[in-house]
Amino acid sequence: ANYIFFRKSALLLSVLFGYGFAVLINNLKQKGVNTVSFFTRRMFWLFVIAFINSCFFDGDILKSYAVLGILLLLFYKSSTKTILVFAIILLALVPLISGYTLYAASMAPVEKIDKLRPLLLSHHLTDVLKYNLAASYILQSSWTFYAIFVQHVMFCCFLWGMFIQRTHFVENLQANKVYIKRLFWFSIPAFALSTYLTYLSKQVNFLKVYCNFFIIAFLCAMIFFSTAIMWLYVSGKLKAIFKAMELYGKMTLTNYIMQNIIAFFVFTGVGLSVGSSKPYSFYFILAVIVFVVQIFISKYWLHKFNYGPIEYAWRRLSSQKTLPFKKIVI
């Protein structure tokens, strides 16, 4: 499940971030707003939000988004062709960089994390907050695999997201239905091949050290699920589910952070201390319950307000303007 779903979702989120960046840049240009200063403020406040979130979740990736987001400014005036070329180059380098960072550079800092475990199990709030912040720093800054490879893949996905927006592919799904189907069917043998190459790379010492294809399998899985969703959408299927996802998506940041806060008090020592003691089914059912409840909360909230609470704070701080928060009911 982790192999097929979680990594695919993380990659898709990065693509959507790059897509959203391109949309935002277009909006800023139309309004005559200074793109660089606005987006720099936006990423600064995203980093602040990410830092707070890291107190509750040591696996927060928003800090990387905030830092790498600044680098996207190097491409906001670039042509669509230039963005595509760089995206292809970064993608081609993925197997080489993954092999090097997995085996040749440094291993995961397991010992450093294990030394911090007592803080995670503590019943004192400050101890658990310290653990999450320290573990987040260790995993994302001192572990070469994350610091180099994971962020390389993130930025690569950012550029692909920008390219997709520039081509207006999503805005014209119905017209692009034939390409969606082709990508869907292509992703299946591509996933099988990349999975086989991943297995093969573990058997050959040279490939094991210097070339690994596992992330390509994740990318193929992402394409498979993304195109399947788009195919269902343009076919008019599951309209109620897509409407629910639309509402949930408008409060993505709020829902993401609330999930981490809920997990913080369910799994750590300051809350229910569930940890990893339960069977897999427990965590799956809990995740589904939280997700469904958040859909209903999002629907209720957006009926009364224009933005999610954290989305509003982020927009307000970025724009330095007062925005209409509560909906005016006539």
Side-chain angles (χ1 to χ4, degrees):
N2 177 64
Y3 188 82
I4 296 176
F5 293 103
F6 174 72
R7 304 301 178 186
K8 175 273 302 177
S9 299
L11 292 170
L12 180 57
L13 185 62
S14 297
V15 172
L16 292 175
F17 183 88
Y19 184 94
F21 169 83
V23 171
L24 177 62
I25 293 302
N26 284 342
N27 292 338
L28 294 176
K29 287 180 179 178
Q30 292 175 6
K31 295 177 181 178
V33 178
N34 186 303
T35 301
V36 175
S37 62
F38 179 92
F39 196 74
T40 300
R41 284 197 306 272
R42 189 170 177 82
M43 291 302 98
F44 169 78
W45 287 113
L46 179 61
F47 187 88
V48 172
I49 293 171
F51 180 82
I52 296 172
N53 187 51
S54 295
C55 295
F56 299 96
F57 177 44
D58 62 348
D60 172 79
I61 62 171
L62 295 179
K63 297 186 297 298
S64 295
Y65 278 34
V67 174
L68 295 175
I70 296 296
L71 295 180
L72 278 179
L73 288 172
L74 298 174
F75 294 89
Y76 85 97
K77 289 185 177 180
S78 300
S79 66
T80 303
K81 182 179 179 180
T82 299
I83 292 171
L84 176 61
V85 169
F86 273 91
I88 292 174
I89 292 173
L90 292 183
L91 182 61
L93 291 174
V94 163
L96 298 175
I97 296 177
S98 65
Y100 173 76
T101 54
L102 269 174
Y103 299 103
S106 69
M107 299 303 291
V110 177
E111 292 184 3
K112 292 182 180 180
I113 298 296
D114 286 342
K115 290 179 180 178
L116 296 172
R117 292 295 178 189
L119 292 175
L120 180 62
L121 302 175
S122 171
H123 296 294
H124 297 288
L125 178 63
T126 54
D127 287 341
V128 184
L129 295 177
K130 286 179 183 177
Y131 167 83
N132 284 326
L133 283 173
S136 178
Y137 172 78
I138 292 170
L139 288 170
Q140 298 180 359
S141 299
S142 63
W143 185 20
T144 307
F145 176 70
Y146 184 94
I148 296 179
F149 173 69
V150 173
Q151 298 194 91
H152 172 91
V153 173
M154 282 183 188
F155 195 74
C156 177
C157 289
F158 288 177
L159 292 181
W160 280 107
M162 286 186 68
F163 172 74
I164 292 171
Q165 194 282 327
R166 290 286 189 88
T167 60
H168 304 289
F169 185 86
V170 175
E171 290 93 328
N172 300 291
L173 287 182
Q174 194 64 48
N176 291 319
K177 188 174 181 178
V178 63
Y179 299 108
I180 293 172
K181 291 181 178 180
R182 288 176 182 175
L183 284 170
F184 173 84
W185 292 116
F186 168 79
S187 67
I188 298 174
F191 175 80
L193 177 60
S194 55
T195 301
Y196 172 73
L197 290 174
T198 301
Y199 169 78
L200 183 64
S201 66
K202 294 180 180 180
Q203 311 305 313
V204 181
N205 288 333
F206 177 80
L207 292 177
K208 180 179 179 180
V209 176
Y210 294 108
C211 192
N212 194 296
F213 295 91
F214 78 97
I215 197 66
I216 304 300
F218 295 156
L219 289 167
C220 292
M222 178 193 71
I223 294 172
F224 173 83
F225 286 106
S226 301
T227 52
I229 292 170
M230 287 187 280
W231 193 347
L232 286 170
Y233 182 80
V234 297
S235 299
K237 308 293 185 181
L238 308 176
K239 290 183 178 180
I241 293 178
F242 281 114
K243 181 61 179 179
M245 292 301 99
E246 179 184 350
L247 295 171
Y248 187 91
K250 289 181 178 179
M251 290 179 56
T252 298
L253 190 56
T254 296
N255 287 325
Y256 167 65
I257 293 178
M258 287 308 301
Q259 287 173 6
N260 295 331
I261 293 175
I262 291 170
F264 179 84
F265 287 106
V266 170
F267 301 122
T268 68
V270 295
L272 301 178
S273 302
V274 171
S276 57
S277 61
K278 303 294 183 180
Y280 176 82
S281 58
F282 169 83
Y283 302 101
F284 178 79
I285 294 171
L286 177 62
V288 171
I289 291 173
V290 170
F291 182 71
V292 172
V293 170
Q294 284 189 317
I295 289 177
F296 285 101
I297 292 175
S298 298
K299 181 179 180 180
Y300 174 79
W301 183 275
L302 292 172
H303 180 70
K304 295 179 176 295
F305 302 96
N306 291 310
Y307 312 98
I310 299 179
E311 284 79 6
Y312 175 79
W314 189 24
R315 285 171 176 260
R316 174 70 177 81
L317 292 167
S318 300
S319 64
Q320 297 181 333
K321 295 180 180 179
T322 302
L323 301 171
F325 184 41
K326 192 172 184 178
K327 286 185 176 179
I328 300 175
V329 180
I330 301 175

